Amino acid sequence: MSEKPEIPASQAGTDGTATLLFVDDEVNILSSLKRLFRTGGYRIFTAENGAQGLDILQHEAVDLVVSDMRMPEMNGAQFLEQVNARWPDTIRILLTGHAEIGATIDAINKGHIYRYISKPWEDNDILLAIKQALHQKKLELANQGLEELTRRQNEELKDLNANLEAKVKARTEEVRQTMGFLEIAHDKLKRDFITSIRVFSNLIEMREGAMAGHSRRVAELSRAIAQKMKMNDADAQDIFLAALLHDVGKIGFPDYLLEKSFANLTSEERFDVIKHPVKGQTALMALEPLNGAAKLIRSHHERFDGLGYPDKLAGLAIPLGARVIMLANEYDAVQLGMLLSKRLKHADALLFIQEGRGNRYDPAVVDAFMSVMASTVHAVRELALHPEQLRPGMVLSRDLLSRQGDLLLSKDHLLDASLIDQIKSFKQLGDELVIYVTDK
C-alpha cells in the first residue's frame, strides 16, 4: 500500500489558525497541555509516541511540535531529528528535565530545535514561548515571500533591461506608423471637408448668373492676403472657408435682388440685403468646424470707419479676417458691377481699393493686397490641356468647372487614372473641357 503524500507545514492553518502537535508518553501531560492551549484558538493534535507523531505529521499540516525527551522506542531527540529531515518548516520544541542535558544537546545538534523547555514548566512561560515561536515563523514566511517577490521582480527587471532597447525601438516604430496613418487620414478628411465646402459654395452661386465664380475668387484672394500678412494656418483657413461661404445668407433672396447692384437697391431692398451676414452666421453655427468662419461672415461688410453693417464695428474691433474678406469681396464685386452702378475695369478696381484705404478698408490689409497684386506671376508653370493629354500624377492648378460653371474638381486635386476617365466622359457628353494643371 503506497503512502499518502506528505503535507508541508506551510499549508497549515489556511484560515489563520495555527496547528500544534504535542507528543508525550504520559497521557496526563498531554491532557494538561491540551487544556492549557485549548483557549488560544489553536488546532491541537496529540500523540503518545514518536511513531504516532510522525503519522499525524504525514496527514496533517502542523506548524509547531512539542515533544517530550523521555519516550520508549524513540526518544524526543530522535523524533525531532526525523521531523527536521521531513518537515523542516515545522517548529520544534523539546520538553526535558535538568538531568537530560546531554540528550538535549544532541537534540539541538541533530533535530535543530527552536528551543527547549524544562519540566516542570510554568504555564505562562510555555504559552509565551509557543506564541513567540509562531510569531517568528510568521515573520520568516513573510520574509520568504518578500524575498521571492524581490527575486521575481529582479528577474523581470533584468529581462526588461535586456530587451528595453528593442522594445522601445519597436514601440517607437509602431507609434510612428500609427501617427503616419492618422496624418494621412486627417489630411484626407481635411481635403474632403474643403471640397465639400467648395461644392456647397458652388451650389450657392448656381443662381447668381454673372456672379458665378465670385466666392471662389474672393476665397483665393483672401487667402493670398492672409498669407502675405503672415497669419497662421488656422486663421488663414478660417478666412478661406468664410470667403467661400460669405454669401450663404443670400440663399433665400429672389433672383431680381441678386442681379441688382447694392448702389441701385431701394431702401426696402437694402434693408433686406444687409441682413444676410447675420443669416449666414446663423446658418453655420451648428457646424463646430465652421464657428470661426461664421464669425467672420457676420462681420465681412463692416467698414474700417464704422459705417458698415450689421454691427457698425470700426477699426481693430472688426475681426482681421473679416477686414480681409471685406476688401477681397468688394474688389471682385466692383468688377462685376454688383457694388457700384457700373462695372470697373481691373485698373479702376485697384484705384477704388486704394481710395478706400483708411475709411472702407484697413490700411494694413490694403498694403498686403497691393503686394499680392504686384506678385501675381506664379512660380510653377501652368499648362492648359485637353482631357486626352492628362496623365496620372498631374495636379489641378485651378478649379475644374463645367461649361455651366458647376464645380467638378477643386484646385490642388491630384489626378489618377479613374478621375481622368471621368473627365474624358464629360467630353463624350458634349461638354468640352480645358483642364489647367501644374507642370511639376
Side-chain angles (χ1 to χ4, degrees):
M1 181 175 179
S2 60
E3 293 185 352
K4 294 182 179 179
E6 296 178 352
I7 301 176
S10 59
Q11 293 182 2
T14 55
D15 60 353
T17 301
T19 299
L20 310 180
L21 170 62
F22 298 115
V23 183
D24 200 303
D25 62 333
E26 297 183 40
V27 176
N28 63 325
I29 291 179
L30 291 177
S31 298
S32 297
L33 289 169
K34 198 169 184 178
R35 284 195 304 272
L36 180 62
F37 284 92
R38 183 179 294 138
T39 58
Y42 302 107
R43 293 175 68 237
I44 297 174
F45 293 92
T46 59
E48 296 180 9
N49 54 60
Q52 289 183 11
L54 294 175
D55 184 64
I56 291 171
L57 284 164
Q58 186 170 340
H59 298 89
E60 298 290 341
V62 177
D63 294 291
L64 182 144
V65 175
V66 178
S67 176
D68 184 32
M69 180 63 201
R70 283 192 177 185
M71 293 186 297
E73 298 180 5
M74 183 189 301
N75 64 28
Q78 295 168 332
F79 169 67
L80 292 180
E81 182 179 357
Q82 290 198 44
V83 173
N84 175 60
R86 298 169 65 180
W87 299 280
D89 291 333
T90 298
I91 303 171
R92 297 166 297 281
I93 294 178
L94 184 69
L95 289 178
T96 180
H98 291 293
E100 300 167 335
I101 188 66
T104 300
I105 293 172
D106 191 45
I108 292 172
N109 291 333
K110 295 182 179 180
H112 298 285
I113 65 173
Y114 170 73
R115 63 173 297 175
Y116 68 89
I117 297 175
S118 299
K119 297 170 61 177
W121 65 78
E122 289 289 337
D123 287 352
N124 287 335
D125 289 344
I126 195 170
L127 285 169
L128 181 61
I130 289 179
K131 183 177 181 180
Q132 290 175 339
L134 290 171
H135 181 65
Q136 179 174 332
K137 179 181 180 181
K138 183 178 180 180
L139 293 177
E140 289 175 352
L141 288 174
N143 184 59
Q144 290 173 6
L146 289 174
E147 288 179 350
E148 176 60 21
L149 177 62
T150 301
R151 185 194 66 77
R152 289 200 310 268
Q153 290 178 337
N154 285 338
E155 289 296 325
E156 291 172 1
L157 184 60
K158 182 178 179 181
D159 179 67
L160 180 63
N161 287 335
N163 298 282
L164 183 59
E165 184 176 351
K167 290 179 179 178
V168 169
K169 185 176 181 180
R171 182 58 180 157
T172 300
E173 179 61 20
E174 289 177 8
V175 172
R176 188 193 67 77
Q177 290 182 1
T178 301
M179 291 299 293
F181 293 145
L182 287 175
E183 185 175 349
I184 292 171
H186 179 264
D187 288 344
K188 185 178 186 305
L189 283 173
K190 187 163 64 173
R191 288 195 304 269
D192 291 347
F193 177 70
I194 298 300
T195 299
S196 299
I197 297 300
R198 286 177 178 269
V199 170
F200 184 51
S201 173
N202 185 64
L203 291 174
I204 295 171
E205 294 182 347
M206 286 180 69
R207 296 179 58 231
E208 295 186 358
M211 289 290 287
H214 166 70
S215 294
R216 290 192 295 276
R217 292 190 297 272
V218 172
E220 295 291 350
L221 179 55
S222 296
R223 180 163 58 183
I225 295 172
Q227 292 171 345
K228 183 65 69 173
M229 298 182 75
K230 301 189 184 307
M231 297 173 67
N232 63 51
D233 292 342
D235 289 340
Q237 180 80 337
D238 278 345
I239 289 172
F240 179 74
L241 296 178
L244 276 175
L245 300 173
H246 72 279
D247 279 337
V248 68
K250 293 181 178 181
I251 285 180
F253 285 6
D255 291 342
Y256 78 89
L257 201 56
L258 294 174
E259 294 169 358
K260 293 179 68 173
S261 68
F262 189 80
N264 293 331
L265 294 176
T266 65
S267 59
E268 291 182 359
E269 292 170 340
R270 189 166 295 192
F271 179 76
D272 290 334
V273 168
I274 64 176
K275 294 179 183 178
H276 84 269
V278 176
K279 290 182 178 179
Q281 180 193 25
T282 303
L284 300 178
M285 282 180 63
L287 298 173
E288 185 176 345
L290 293 177
N291 281 351
K295 293 176 182 177
L296 301 184
I297 289 173
R298 180 187 182 96
S299 300
H300 81 277
H301 277 294
E302 301 287 358
R303 289 174 43 145
F304 199 70
D305 57 10
L307 299 180
Y309 59 87
D311 301 310
K312 301 296 183 184
L313 300 179
L316 302 183
I318 306 169
L320 177 56
R323 284 177 261 154
V324 171
I325 298 171
M326 164 68 167
L327 184 150
N329 178 46
E330 293 199 346
Y331 168 72
D332 196 71
V334 295
Q335 295 180 78
L336 295 173
M338 300 308 298
L339 181 63
L340 306 178
S341 57
K342 64 175 182 177
R343 293 184 178 219
L344 298 184
K345 295 181 180 180
H346 173 68
D348 293 328
L350 290 177
L351 183 60
F352 177 83
I353 297 297
Q354 289 175 303
E355 289 175 346
R357 189 177 191 275
N359 46 66
R360 298 182 73 89
Y361 315 116
D362 179 353
V365 176
V366 173
D367 292 343
F369 165 75
M370 296 305 297
S371 180
V372 170
M373 291 294 103
S375 57
T376 55
V377 178
H378 298 287
V380 179
R381 188 164 67 91
E382 185 178 59
L383 298 176
L385 303 177
H386 293 293
E388 296 79 9
Q389 297 173 297
L390 296 176
R391 297 290 180 271
M394 291 181 172
V395 178
L396 293 180
S397 58
R398 304 185 192 181
D399 289 339
L400 178 59
L401 307 175
S402 69
R403 194 185 319 179
Q404 291 75 28
D406 298 329
L407 178 65
L408 302 178
L409 290 173
S410 60
K411 176 184 175 182
D412 298 326
H413 214 103
L414 179 65
L415 298 180
D416 57 23
S418 176
L419 286 175
I420 292 173
D421 288 341
Q422 292 181 51
I423 293 171
K424 290 178 180 179
S425 70
F426 283 101
K427 181 180 179 182
Q428 296 172 2
L429 295 174
D431 199 351
E432 185 70 36
L433 298 176
V434 176
I435 302 93
Y436 294 89
V437 299
T438 54
D439 181 20
K440 297 291 186 179

